[in-house]
Amino acid sequence: MTSIADRAGLRAPPPPAGSPAPPEQPAAGGLRRPLALAGLLAALVGLVMATLGAGSVAIPLDEVTRVLLGGEPTQPAWQTIVRDVRLPRAVTALLAGAALGVAGLQMQTLFRNPLADPFILGVSSGASLGVALVVIAAGSAGTTLVGGLALPATVGVAGAAALGAGAVTTLVLVLSRRVANPATVLIVGLMAGYTVSALVSLLVHAELGQGDRIRAYIAWGFGSFAGTTWSDLVVFAPAAVAALLLATAVTKPLDALLLGERYAASMGLRVGRARVLVAVGASVLAGTVTAFCGPIGFLGVAIPHLTRGLLRSSAHRLLVPGCALVGAVVALAAGLVAQLPGRDATLPLNAVTALIGAPVVVAVLLRLRRASRAVTT
Amino acid sequence: MGYRGRRRRSRVVLAGLDLALPAGQLTCLLGPNGSGKSTLLRTLAGMQPPLAGRACLGGDDVVALEPRERARRLAVVLTDQVDSGLLTAGDLVALGRFPYTTWDGRLGASDRAAVAWALAATGAAPLAGRRVDELSDGERQRVLIARALAQQPAVLALDEPVAFVDVPRRLELLRLLRDLAHECGLAVLLTTHDLDLALHTADILWLVEPAKGEVEVEGSDGARACVHVGAPEDLALSGVIGRAFAGDGVTFDPLRGTVVADTVPLASVHVAGDGPPAIWAARALEREGLAVIDGDARLRVTAAASGWTLEGPQPTSSHDTIAGLLSAVRAALPDLAAPHPHAPSGR
C-alpha cells in the first residue's frame, strides 16, 4: 500500500512552516453568500422604509426620506408619526428580530436541539416573570406595560427580564444534562414555560386588577414592536447590541460544540465557561426582547433554520451575523403585516410569527423523522 | 512519555496500573465488553480524572494541563455521535485546528496546510467537499481521524474506532492508524474488543483481563482486573489471551489465534488433499461440529480440484460442492456417533 508520506506529500506532522498552503476552497455555492447578503440588505432597507411609510396613515416615501434627513414634511403630523412612532417601531423590530434569531441559534447549538428557542424552552416566560415582578413593584400608572416608566425602572425591567430568562435557561440546561432525549428536553422546557406563565398570570391578575394595566399586560402578551418609545430604546438598543456583539465573540466555541461537549473539551475548549457565556448572551437577548416586545414565538426557532438554508453552512462565524440579518428582515416583515397597513386595527404579532414559524418547525420535524436521528443543526 | 493511571467512577474498574504508551507504535487496548477499556482511555486522555494516581503526557499531568496545550499534544476519536448538520468533511477536519486558531476560528495558511495534510494522510481528501451526514460509517471514521490529526498531536487516542465499520474497512482503518504511528512517530492507542483485528495489526497489546467471579470491593487495590502488556504473539503464547477471553462455551484456540466455541466433536474426520479445496472443506467440517484430525478416522474426505470424495460407513460418494459434501456427512453421522452416556439411545 502507498505510504502516508506518499499520500500526504509530507513526511510527518507538523507540515513544514514554509510549505505552500493549498488555495482556499471556493465557498460552497460560489456567489450564493454574497448574493444572499446583498438581497438581505436590500430587503432590510426596503422593509425599514415600508415600516416608516405604511400604517394607519400612509406616508409617501419621499416624505419619509425628508423627515429622516431632518426636513419638514408637507404635513407636520407626519414628522411626529415617522420620528416618534414608526422609527422606534422599525428599530425595535430590527433589533428584536436580530436578537431572537441569534438567541435561537445559540440555544439550538447549546442544547444540541434543532427545535430549541427562547419561546419553546420557556425562557421568554421566565423573562415575563421578571417583567411582571418589576412592573408590579414599580406600580407605574402608565397605559402600556413598560412604556412610560422612568429610566431606572426601564433598566430594572430589562434586567429583571434577563435574570428571569437566565433562571429558566439554567433550569432547562441542568435538566437537559440529565435527560438525553431532545424531545424530552423540549417538553420539559414547554412545561416550565407554561408553569412560569401561569404564575405570571396569577400574579398580574391579583395585583393589577381589571384596569388599563391588565389590558396592557394582555396586549403585551400578544407581542408587539409598536409599544416602544425612544426612552425604552435607550435601554433596549445598547443591551441588545452588546449581547449581539458577545454572540459574535463566541462563534468558535459554538462551532466546537457542534461535535458535542466531549469533543469540544478534547480540542481545548473550556466547556463550562463557554456554556455560561452562551447562556448569558442568549438570556440577555431573549430577556430584553421579551421585556420590550412581549414574549414573541417562533422567530427564535425558525430564523436559524432559514439562515442555514440560505447560507448552506453550519459555521457560526457566518450564521451569527446571518441570523441577525435574517431575523431583522423577518421581524420587520412580520411587524409590517401586523400593522395591517391602511387600516386602523392591528394584528397580534404572535399570530403573524406563528404563521411564519410553525411551517418551519414542521419541516424540521419531518426532516428529523426522515433522518431518524436528531440533526442538531 | 509515560503514563501511570488508575480507574474511577466511584467504582474502581481498574487499579494499580503502570503503563507507558510508546511513540511510533500502534497500541491496542483490548478486552471483553465492560472490562474498563473506554474508562482507561478517557482517563489517559484527561477526559475524566483518575480516582488515584496520575496520567502523564510528556511529563505533565494530563488533567492539570492547560486545555489548549493538551489539545495540541493529544487528540481523540470518540464513540460520540457527531450531529454535524451542514458541515462538510473539510469543515469538520478544520475544527481540529481549534487549539491553534485565534478567537474567531479563522484558518491561517499553516492551519490550511495542516488540514490538507490530515485529509491526505487519511486518504479522506476526496471526501472533503461532501457533507458529513452523507458519509458511510467507514468514511466518517476516516474523517474523524483526519480531524484528530489536524490537531497535530503526539498522541492519538481512539475509542472503538472500528466498532460500526464492516470488516474490510476495519482492516483498512487499522492499517492506516498503524502507518500513522510508524511513519509519523505518533503514539496511537485504540480500544477494541475485536480480538482478531488486534492480533493482526497491533504492535503492542494492552490486554484487560477482567476479574473472575470476584465480589467487587470498593477501594480495594488487590486482585481485581489487571492489564497485561506485550506483543500480541507473546500474550497469546503465555495464555493470558485465553484467560481474558474464555467465556461460557468459548475458548481461545492458541493454534489458530481465534476464539472458538467449545463443543464435543460429533465425530472425527481426516481431510486429505492440498490447497484451498482441502482448507475450506476442513473449515466446513469443523463448523458442522466434527474434529479434523491428522490420524486415521472413520470418515475420510479427499479434496481435489475436481471435487470432494467422502469415504466412511456409507458408500463412497463424490461431490461437486462443499454443500453437497456436508449433506452426505450429515447423513453419515448417525452411524458414527458413539453412544453418549447421557444421550437418549438410538440417535
Side-chain angles (χ1 to χ4, degrees):
Chain A
M1 92 193 280
T2 53
S3 76
I4 300 276
D6 292 342
R7 266 180 277 154
L10 291 165
R11 192 65 208 168
S19 70
E24 194 157 15
Q25 298 219 332
L31 284 175
R32 179 180 197 94
R33 285 170 194 161
L35 280 178
L37 182 72
L40 285 170
L41 284 175
L44 189 70
V45 172
L47 282 164
V48 167
M49 294 306 284
T51 304
L52 297 180
S56 51
V57 179
I59 302 175
L61 279 185
D62 54 336
E63 299 284 337
V64 170
T65 316
R66 192 173 305 161
V67 173
L68 286 180
L69 297 175
E72 287 286 326
T74 46
Q75 299 207 23
W78 288 356
Q79 182 168 15
T80 315
I81 292 175
V82 169
R83 208 177 50 196
D84 293 338
V85 177
R86 291 186 185 167
L87 195 53
R89 186 188 293 166
V91 173
T92 304
L94 192 153
L95 286 174
L100 288 175
V102 172
L105 173 70
Q106 289 183 312
M107 297 183 97
Q108 287 175 11
T109 303
L110 189 61
F111 287 96
R112 282 166 70 73
N113 192 319
L115 291 180
D117 97 325
F119 191 74
I120 292 174
L121 290 182
V123 174
S124 301
S125 303
S128 308
L129 182 61
V131 171
L133 288 174
V134 172
V135 166
I136 288 164
S140 155
T143 50
T144 62
L145 196 67
V146 180
L149 292 177
L151 182 64
T154 311
V155 174
V157 166
L163 281 179
V168 175
T169 308
T170 308
L171 178 74
V172 181
L173 206 51
V174 168
L175 288 172
S176 73
R177 292 173 66 74
R178 306 188 56 155
V179 282
N181 186 340
T184 313
V185 175
L186 286 182
I187 293 167
V188 166
L190 216 53
M191 290 306 124
Y194 277 123
T195 311
V196 176
S197 298
L199 284 177
V200 176
S201 292
L202 290 174
L203 199 64
V204 170
H205 279 265
E207 290 292 323
L208 296 184
Q210 295 299 316
D212 283 346
R213 303 282 291 154
I214 193 72
R215 274 194 290 281
Y217 172 75
I218 292 168
W220 176 79
F222 291 143
S224 172
F225 298 135
T228 44
T229 60
W230 283 116
S231 63
D232 296 328
L233 279 174
V234 168
V235 178
F236 178 38
V241 169
L244 285 171
L245 287 177
L246 175 66
T248 60
V250 291
T251 54
K252 182 179 159 182
L254 285 178
D255 280 344
L257 284 170
L258 284 179
L259 300 187
E261 293 191 357
R262 293 206 302 176
Y263 266 120
S266 85
M267 294 191 289
L269 177 69
R270 292 175 195 274
V271 172
R273 198 165 70 181
R275 207 174 348 174
V276 168
L277 275 178
V278 173
V280 165
S283 299
V284 170
L285 289 171
T288 51
V289 170
T290 307
F292 294 103
C293 310
I296 294 174
F298 290 104
L299 291 186
V301 64
I303 285 164
H305 291 290
L306 295 173
T307 310
R308 288 189 196 100
L310 199 61
L311 300 182
R312 294 278 160 82
S313 172
S314 283
H316 289 83
R317 200 175 64 244
L318 295 174
L319 285 182
V320 166
C323 281
L325 204 50
V326 173
V329 166
V330 173
L332 279 165
L336 197 60
V337 173
Q339 286 302 319
L340 288 178
R343 290 164 163 247
D344 281 338
T346 58
L347 287 176
L349 183 61
N350 268 325
V352 181
T353 57
L355 286 178
I356 298 170
V360 175
V361 173
V362 171
V364 171
L365 279 172
L366 290 177
R367 203 182 67 200
L368 287 186
R369 220 182 127 77
R370 202 166 53 226
S372 79
R373 67 191 167 90
V375 177
T376 317
T377 50
Chain B
M1 68 199 71
Y3 282 123
R4 290 177 61 87
R6 294 189 180 185
R7 236 62 302 282
R8 68 116 40 175
R9 187 157 269 212
S10 71
R11 187 172 78 85
V12 178
V13 183
L14 292 167
L17 306 179
D18 187 349
L19 301 166
L21 187 66
Q25 311 239 301
L26 176 67
T27 304
C28 274
L29 175 51
L30 179 69
N33 287 332
S35 56
K37 301 184 296 288
S38 298
T39 316
L40 177 56
L41 185 94
R42 285 200 297 272
T43 306
L44 294 180
M47 300 176 70
Q48 61 186 58
L51 286 185
R54 10 190 251 139
C56 287
L57 183 56
D60 300 308
D61 189 320
V62 75
V63 178
L65 261 183
E66 203 272 318
R68 261 170 101 90
E69 179 57 31
R70 184 174 67 217
R72 291 177 184 204
R73 296 195 205 171
L74 180 149
V76 294
V77 174
L78 305 171
T79 49
D80 300 19
Q81 178 93 48
V82 174
D83 295 331
S84 48
L86 301 170
L87 286 184
T88 63
D91 295 337
L92 182 70
V93 174
L95 281 178
R97 298 306 293 168
F98 189 93
Y100 297 91
T101 51
T102 54
W103 65 274
D104 66 349
R106 223 171 268 274
L107 299 183
S110 65
D111 297 314
R112 284 198 296 276
V115 169
W117 175 82
L119 282 167
T122 51
L127 309 173
R130 287 175 55 193
R131 270 171 53 178
V132 177
D133 55 5
E134 292 166 349
L135 300 179
S136 73
D137 288 334
E139 290 169 334
R140 186 160 46 242
Q141 284 299 356
R142 222 168 249 279
V143 170
L144 285 170
I145 292 169
R147 188 211 60 80
L149 281 183
Q151 283 177 241
Q152 294 180 345
V155 180
L156 192 57
L158 308 96
D159 195 8
E160 296 284 358
V162 295
F164 299 105
V165 178
D166 60 39
V167 172
R169 242 51 60 195
R170 284 183 181 201
L171 201 55
E172 275 176 30
L173 283 172
L174 279 206
R175 292 274 170 167
L176 165 68
L177 290 168
R178 196 177 63 172
D179 291 351
L180 285 169
H182 291 180
E183 296 181 28
C184 305
L186 283 168
V188 180
L189 174 66
L190 66 91
T191 63
T192 181
H193 53 253
D194 188 329
L195 175 63
D196 286 344
L197 204 60
L199 288 178
H200 278 113
T201 43
D203 295 310
I204 296 169
L205 279 191
W206 289 1
L207 178 68
V208 183
E209 183 184 352
K212 289 264 158 62
E214 206 180 303
V215 180
E216 301 241 357
V217 185
E218 190 87 11
S220 86
D221 238 35
R224 59 178 66 249
C226 53
V227 178
H228 302 278
V229 177
E233 296 75 14
D234 283 333
L235 294 185
L237 282 174
S238 71
V240 291
I241 291 182
R243 288 209 304 278
F245 278 88
D248 204 12
V250 294
T251 40
F252 178 72
D253 180 347
L255 293 179
R256 273 178 290 173
T258 187
V259 172
V260 295
D262 295 330
T263 47
V264 179
L266 299 170
S268 299
V269 60
H270 176 77
V271 179
D274 291 316
I279 292 168
W280 287 91
R283 281 178 67 127
L285 292 164
E286 281 178 347
R287 173 162 60 78
E288 201 60 26
L290 282 79
V292 177
I293 58 171
D294 283 338
D296 197 29
R298 287 178 64 197
L299 270 181
R300 288 175 305 282
V301 171
T302 308
S306 55
W308 293 267
T309 314
L310 176 67
E311 299 165 78
Q314 295 189 343
T316 299
S317 55
S318 293
H319 306 278
D320 294 339
T321 62
I322 291 181
L325 171 69
L326 285 185
S327 54
V329 169
R330 279 183 211 118
L333 276 180
D335 298 336
L336 289 168
H340 195 280
H342 301 296
S345 56
R347 180 173 164 196

